[in-house]
């Protein structure tokens, strides 16, 4: 149990570090808070909420991985290396793709609810 708690502490430290040091992590978290509030107000189903949480978890986890890759790459190769640049760009692309798909999922879930609310 002690080892588990120590590991959980390290994981939490990584999350806190990323939240504090990466503007995109704070942005994703703020957007998630707004989306969850909208889900509550608009009465999304449990399945829809599960989809929202799953895609949000993917975006946040990829943001954590992106931060890890960037930090590791900067230590491994402090000087500019095109291969390191490709690795960083690929991780950033993974975050961006997940974020774009999360927007698409949000549109699919929220647009009909907003249209019904507005009588459109």
């Amino acid at each position: 149990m002690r080892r588990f708690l120590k590991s959980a502490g390290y994981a939490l430290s990584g999350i806190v570090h990323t939240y504090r040091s990466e503007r995109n992590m704070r942005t994703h978290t703020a957007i998630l808070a707004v989306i969850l509030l909208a889900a509550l107000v608009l009465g999304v189903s449990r399945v829809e909420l599960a989809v929202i949480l799953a895609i949000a978890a993917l975006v946040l986890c990829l943001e954590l991985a992106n931060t890890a890759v960037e930090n590791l790459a900067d230590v491994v190769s402090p000087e500019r290396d095109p291969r390191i640049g490709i690795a960083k760009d690929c991780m950033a692309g993974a975050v961006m793709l997940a974020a774009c798909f999360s927007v698409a999922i949000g549109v699919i879930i929220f647009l009909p609810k907003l249209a019904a609310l507005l009588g459109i």
Side-chain angles (χ1 to χ4, degrees), residues 44-59:
V44 301
S45 72
R46 289 168 50 177
V47 171
E48 291 168 329
L49 182 59
V51 171
I52 291 167
L53 291 174
I55 193 68
L58 177 63
V59 171

Side-chain angles (χ1 to χ4, degrees), residues 18-101:
T18 302
Y19 184 83
R20 287 181 177 163
S21 66
E22 298 296 327
R23 179 178 40 89
N24 287 342
M25 183 65 143
R26 292 188 300 275
T27 301
H28 294 310
T29 304
I31 291 169
L32 176 58
V34 171
I35 293 299
L36 291 175
L37 181 60
L40 180 66
V41 169
L42 295 172
V44 301
S45 72
R46 289 168 50 177
V47 171
E48 291 168 329
L49 182 59
V51 171
I52 291 167
L53 291 174
I55 193 68
L58 177 63
V59 171
L60 295 175
C61 289
L62 285 171
E63 193 63 57
L64 284 163
N66 184 45
T67 301
V69 167
E70 286 178 352
N71 279 279
L72 185 59
D74 290 345
V75 169
V76 169
S77 181
E79 65 282 345
R80 195 153 171 65
D81 183 324
R83 296 168 298 177
I84 295 292
I86 290 169
K88 287 179 166 185
D89 291 348
C90 287
M91 272 308 312
V95 176
M96 187 179 77
L97 267 178
C100 288
F101 276 97

